[in-house]
Amino acid sequence: ATGPELVVVSLNNKRAAVSRAEITVGDFKAWWASAGSRTRAARPSCRDREGGIFSGSKQRTWQNPGFAQTDAHPVVCVNFEDAVAYTEWLSRQTGKRYRLLTAQEWRALAANTADGANCKANLADAAYAAEYRERDALACRDGTVHTAPVKRFEPGRTGLYDMVGNVREWVSDCDAKCDKRLAMGTGWVSTKDQLSPTASTGFDADTGFNSVGFRVLREID
């Protein structure tokens, strides 16, 4: 496996290579076929739009998150352990050191990034409002209700795509009480009062969400 496309960045005065986009359905499918279906066969419940426990469903999975996706879309309905298992497999396949980003690294990469309120990112827009009767959605249109294919929108200053919008991303940190894991940024469900690019949200580590995915970092230095 060659793994996802990477871009070299500077973090804490060290070089690291970060996946240019969120890990896609196609990327995840390669791991699933090679190892995931054996090691992670018991699938987590996947919650719809970050709702409560009653929004979860065993029928909703990364292969069927509740809306149509192609291999070019960001994988969702994966829990924290899935994301870690993918990085461990990629490390074994390539002989390189892959892991999730830390929250600090993620914030550094997302700093000084436009919040996407002009619909130049995939957020809760007018189409989302029509689908879900959301009063706090943006009035503009970004071209999609749910996830968009990665790299549809312009990259940020670091060359990374979708650091704003599309899906929130699991990182390695836990929240203040360490009873949840953090997901960073904004996603297709983020309304106009939730647009901070560096925001973090605590989620149950053993649960998937159809608005949360991840990207990976390869250590160089």
Side-chain angles (χ1 to χ4, degrees):
T2 57
E5 182 185 2
L6 305 173
V7 61
V8 177
V9 298
S10 177
L11 290 168
N12 300 321
N13 297 315
K14 293 184 177 181
R15 292 184 310 143
V18 176
S19 55
R20 192 176 286 277
E22 295 146 341
I23 296 303
T24 64
V25 172
D27 294 329
F28 199 79
K29 189 181 292 182
W31 166 70
W32 188 256
S34 174
S37 61
R38 298 191 308 275
T39 59
R40 301 289 300 161
R43 303 309 302 140
S45 174
C46 180
R47 294 186 189 173
D48 181 43
R49 292 179 294 132
E50 301 168 13
I53 190 168
F54 295 111
S55 73
S57 169
K58 283 286 188 182
Q59 281 68 49
R60 187 179 288 115
T61 67
W62 69 268
Q63 294 148 312
N64 181 25
F67 43 82
Q69 288 191 310
T70 69
D71 282 0
H73 285 74
V75 70
V76 294
C77 288
V78 293
N79 66 8
F80 175 78
E81 288 88 352
D82 290 331
V84 171
Y86 176 87
T87 66
E88 292 172 345
W89 169 78
L90 197 55
S91 298
R92 291 192 302 270
Q93 294 292 304
T94 62
K96 309 291 186 180
R97 300 187 305 273
Y98 280 90
R99 59 173 173 80
L100 297 179
L101 283 77
T102 67
Q104 180 185 27
E105 290 167 341
W106 208 99
R107 288 190 186 98
L109 293 172
N112 305 314
T113 301
D115 64 12
N118 56 2
C119 282
K120 291 186 177 179
N122 180 21
L123 299 159
D125 67 341
Y128 180 96
E131 179 80 12
Y132 293 109
R133 300 181 181 179
E134 175 55 70
R135 290 178 294 180
D136 292 326
L138 298 168
C140 52
R141 291 180 181 270
D142 57 43
T144 184
V145 176
H146 302 105
T147 60
V150 301
K151 303 182 184 178
R152 170 177 283 188
F153 300 93
E154 289 294 311
R157 58 185 175 80
T158 55
L160 302 175
Y161 291 85
D162 295 320
M163 291 297 288
V164 172
N166 221 7
V167 295
R168 303 190 204 272
E169 300 175 16
W170 290 115
V171 292
S172 60
D173 299 62
C174 53
D175 66 1
K177 296 180 181 178
C178 249
D179 60 347
K180 296 179 184 292
R181 287 284 174 175
L182 292 184
M184 301 298 299
T186 52
W188 62 271
V189 300
S190 298
T191 52
K192 59 188 178 183
D193 58 338
Q194 303 171 329
L195 297 186
S196 170
T198 55
S200 62
T201 307
F203 291 110
D204 294 333
D206 61 354
T207 304
F209 301 84
N210 67 2
S211 56
V212 179
F214 65 103
R215 76 178 68 216
V216 299
L217 178 148
R218 193 186 83 200
E219 295 180 355
I220 298 175
D221 294 340

